[in-house]
Amino acid sequence: MNLITRRFVLCAAAAVTALPAFGQLPDVSTAIHVVEGRGCECCRQWTQHLQNAGFQVTSEERFGTLLMQHKIDLGVPIDLTSCHTGSVEGYFVEGHVPATDIRKLLQERPDALGLAVPGMPYGSPGMGPESRREAYDVLLVLKDGSHTIFNRYAAAPA
């Protein structure tokens, strides 16, 4: 009995020391898959932004109608498209959406299809320096195809 007790204590001590400090759970990176246009540098910059923010990014390139069909299949409204589309935990992420907004989406879990930043606003992640950012909105796309403002980014001070 003493041998089992000693063995149990030694194993328990080893397990406790291997755990992170109380209240500090290890960061688990969220997986996001990105479908991007062939040869698009801003797509690569955006995926780098996501990786720097702790996302586990996989990506693939598609061209022309294959890329557009992917967006349509996910429910991205045509008037809100951009150059790349991410998929994360049942939501789409269209365009240069900041990682903080993706995290907020995943935390709040609204009944929606996803987020979109239509076009390619200068200063959004992957589109040039934030210090020279133009104003843009991150849109929450609802299941009926309508959208509302999820977050608003003002232009950088001149």
Side-chain angles (χ1 to χ4, degrees):
M1 178 115 170
N2 284 341
L3 181 61
I4 293 174
T5 304
R6 284 185 196 135
R7 195 173 288 156
F8 175 79
V9 169
L10 289 173
C11 289
V16 167
T17 59
L19 291 175
F22 180 76
Q24 295 180 347
L25 296 176
D27 285 338
V28 177
S29 61
T30 302
I32 184 168
H33 183 72
V34 180
V35 178
E36 54 193 49
R38 187 170 292 159
C40 181
E41 185 58 33
C42 71
C43 293
R44 289 189 195 99
Q45 294 295 323
W46 185 69
T47 58
Q48 185 63 52
H49 164 74
L50 295 179
Q51 289 170 339
N52 292 344
F55 284 90
Q56 182 180 40
V57 181
T58 57
S59 64
E60 65 179 285
E61 292 183 342
R62 294 194 189 172
F63 186 70
T65 56
L66 293 176
L67 179 59
M68 285 309 296
Q69 187 60 54
H70 176 70
K71 294 170 186 293
I72 291 167
D73 291 346
L74 292 176
V76 178
I78 301 269
D79 60 330
L80 301 183
T81 61
S82 185
C83 54
H84 52 262
T85 307
S87 298
V88 58
E89 297 187 15
Y91 293 104
F92 70 71
V93 180
E94 179 67 14
H96 295 269
V97 176
T100 53
D101 290 319
I102 299 170
R103 294 254 184 242
K104 181 180 172 188
L105 173 79
L106 296 177
Q107 182 180 15
E108 294 179 0
R109 298 264 180 215
D111 189 25
L113 294 174
L115 297 176
V117 172
M120 298 163 70
Y122 192 77
S124 61
M127 287 299 299
E130 190 174 1
S131 62
R132 296 177 49 205
R133 175 182 68 215
E134 64 185 25
Y136 69 94
D137 293 332
V138 176
L139 305 175
L140 179 68
V141 180
L142 304 174
K143 291 188 175 179
D144 66 0
S146 65
H147 59 273
T148 185
I149 295 172
F150 187 74
N151 201 355
R152 183 163 266 166
Y153 290 86

